[in-house]
Amino acid sequence: MTRQTATPSFVLVHPQLGENIGAAARVMANFGLSDLVLVAPRDEWPNPKAVSMAVGSPVLDSARLADDLTAGIGGFTRLYATTARPRGMEKPVMTAREGMADARAAIAAGEKVGILFGGEKGGLLNDAVAMADVIITLPVDRSFSSLNLGQAVGILAYEWMAEEGAPAVFDPVSDVASRFDLEGMFDHFESELERAGFFYPPDKTPLMVQNLRAAFVRGRWTTQEVRTFRGCVKALAHGRGKARTIRDS
């Protein structure tokens, strides 16, 4: 079987221990994965414990560092969030095998794919899960569902390399918008909603924003649709009263 040269990027969001970062880099190299993104690691970087645990893995040497989630995921067009809990969001939920088969199909269609892993203490935060297209969860024992970060990376890396995959449900979209495009649209729309007093009561704002973003991500917007929507928001925000003035003149 001929393997694809393009592979998904593995994105560790707020990882804590250097040892786990090193273990992730090591197992990624074992299974032919090369692109590791670290979003705001807790401890110093470069980290000597990560270097020791990676045992010379080239993945660690080329790991990319991002200051925040937006910088870490902005260039991707399809994201998979690994989490033990669906979080009540309306997203496809796949096993690791199904998710990696879907990722292979997405990459074959020209998408830039990222697999998100949360930090050791609490996993992925809801704002990261909201930005994902798919949730990947493992059939772990629910009485003890916490999985070591390096182990979780290893399972997904193995499934990527596995010869046989589940049928992909991925539906290609032409000119799909990147997360940078979507973030710009979200910020624009949410700032106008804030100005209009939509977010009330204030303590519900984070949940409302999360739900809005999850709904937009589910729509698989193209870059042209993003531009059109932002034009609509601008017209509504700055064109108040103008149409009436023109009609009355």
Side-chain angles (χ1 to χ4, degrees), residues 132-151:
D133 298 284
V134 175
I135 287 174
I136 292 178
T137 190
L138 303 176
V140 295
D141 190 320
R142 293 303 170 188
S143 67
F144 192 67
S145 60
S146 177
L147 196 65
N148 173 268
L149 176 58
Q151 293 172 335

Side-chain angles (χ1 to χ4, degrees), residues 190 193-209 212:
E190 289 158 14
L193 290 176
E194 179 71 32
R195 196 158 69 107
F198 174 79
F199 295 118
Y200 185 86
D203 63 310
K204 298 294 185 182
T205 297
L207 180 60
M208 296 170 77
V209 167
L212 281 171

Side-chain angles (χ1 to χ4, degrees), residues 103-131:
R104 283 192 293 270
I107 289 172
E111 300 258 5
K112 294 181 179 179
V113 169
I115 316 296
L116 305 180
F117 298 85
E120 293 89 329
K121 185 176 181 179
L124 285 171
L125 297 178
N126 283 344
D127 59 348
V129 178
M131 293 297 288

